[in-house]
Amino acid sequence: MQKIAVVTGASSGIGAATARRLAGEGFHVVAAARRADRLDALVKEIGADATAVACDVTSDDSVAELAATVAGLGGPLALLVNNAGGAIGLDPVATGSTRDWQAMFDVNVLGTLRVTKALLPALEASGAGTIVTVGSTAAFTPYEGGGGYVAAKHAQTALVGTLRLELSGKPVRVVEIDPGMVRTEEFSLNRFDGDHERADAIYAGVAEPLVAEDIADIIAFAATRPQHVNIDRLVVRPIAQAAQHKVHREL
Ligand SMILES: NC(=O)c1ccc[n+]([C@@H]2O[C@H](COP(=O)([O-])OP(=O)(O)OC[C@H]3O[C@@H](n4cnc5c(N)ncnc54)[C@H](OP(=O)(O)O)[C@@H]3O)[C@@H](O)[C@H]2O)c1
């Protein structure tokens, strides 16, 4: 029976690229996100090696349905990629919106908790499970205006580090991938509420930001090492970004 990989946030960006890549690596991919139309198109493109599941990671019931669908497929659950997430706004702490902060915590932190909890029994039962969580360089470096996202990504990495300790002795690897600047179609656009000008400014003059396929490649690499090899954490940036604030721009 084909090994199963669940990818959250698979309707765009890094998640969609990861779903395509993992299908190419021989997994049956369960592509989860809220927008069913985009998932259906993706699954159609991938073919028989994928299943679309409309899922909102901020809802316990929705995540329970995802787990039930995965169980119904009958194969071993080998891989979970916790990728659903994102940032809202660039407000300083002084004027931070509690609503935006709550939304960022719900998707990035509690979403990772909900999906991990729901699928952990199946990952363990497979005898060779892997959980890859997509964090961010914001998980360890604050930046001005990033407060809510930085705090959420710090919390997400705390969850991942704790989980690795708690699973000691169990057959489940716990991996974190922390990307720097990745130019995906929607991340910055969502952050700035659809404002193309502000979204484009993030990447202005950066010759080659990372693209979704670069991170999909890293996720596939980590997930396909021999099972005794646990890559705790990989930080991945474009060459133009030597550090969070040190971005080479050709303007
Ligand atoms: N782009 C970057 O520069 C960058 C850098 C570092 C880390 N990251 C992290 O990488 C991950 C993917 O980012 P991306 O750049 O690929 O962004 P993206 O293109 O905006 O994709 C985000 C994905 O998350 C899904 N999602 C959002 N809320 C959800 C919810 N409540 N339930 C289920 N799915 C949800 C979205 O699908 P639906 O809207 O259809 O639900 C979408 O598929 C995120 O965790 C982000 O924080 C991104």
Side-chain angles (χ1 to χ4, degrees):
M1 186 77 198
Q2 212 176 355
K3 289 191 288 186
I4 296 170
V6 173
V7 181
T8 67
S11 63
S12 74
I14 293 168
T18 301
R20 287 188 189 96
R21 176 61 190 269
L22 292 175
E25 297 284 345
F27 289 92
H28 181 90
V29 176
V30 175
R34 291 167 302 180
R35 288 169 296 174
D37 53 334
R38 292 179 70 108
L39 294 175
D40 288 342
L42 176 73
V43 162
K44 205 166 163 195
E45 178 197 322
I46 293 175
D49 290 337
T51 301
V53 181
C55 173
D56 182 345
V57 302
T58 67
S59 154
D60 291 345
D61 290 346
S62 186
V63 170
E65 282 171 31
L66 168 66
T69 304
V70 172
L73 291 172
L77 178 60
L79 176 61
L80 163 62
V81 182
N82 282 315
N83 165 75
I88 306 171
L90 210 52
D91 291 336
V93 172
T95 54
S97 148
T98 50
R99 209 173 60 175
D100 288 351
W101 280 54
Q102 265 171 350
M104 286 187 273
F105 268 72
D106 209 2
V107 66
N108 291 286
V109 188
L110 302 180
T112 299
L113 173 66
R114 286 187 189 92
V115 180
T116 300
K117 265 170 64 172
L119 296 181
L120 197 50
L123 285 158
E124 210 178 315
S126 76
T130 303
I131 301 170
V132 178
T133 298
V134 181
S136 168
T137 49
F140 53 88
T141 312
Y143 57 93
E144 303 92 324
Y149 183 61
V150 165
K153 287 299 189 184
H154 270 66
Q156 189 186 35
T157 196
L159 181 162
V160 170
T162 306
L163 180 67
R164 189 179 303 109
L165 294 172
E166 291 171 353
L167 293 183
S168 173
K170 304 268 175 66
V172 182
R173 300 185 290 189
V174 179
V175 178
E176 178 178 331
I177 309 295
D178 291 320
M181 183 185 281
V182 189
R183 184 159 202 166
T184 54
E185 44 185 318
E186 296 187 328
F187 179 82
S188 292
L189 210 51
N190 285 337
R191 177 169 217 164
F192 298 121
D193 203 18
D195 184 334
H196 282 271
E197 212 169 304
R198 283 188 82 191
D200 289 346
I202 297 291
Y203 312 102
V206 179
E208 281 184 293
L210 296 175
V211 293
E213 288 72 20
D214 294 321
I215 302 304
D217 186 43
I218 301 293
I219 292 170
F221 171 78
T224 56
R225 294 311 87 209
Q227 189 65 22
H228 67 284
V229 179
N230 191 118
I231 297 173
D232 282 9
R233 189 171 195 176
L234 279 177
V235 178
V236 189
R237 303 183 201 263
I239 192 169
Q241 188 182 29
Q244 202 80 346
H245 285 83
K246 181 86 178 162
V247 179
H248 179 71
R249 297 181 192 270
E250 289 166 10
L251 294 169

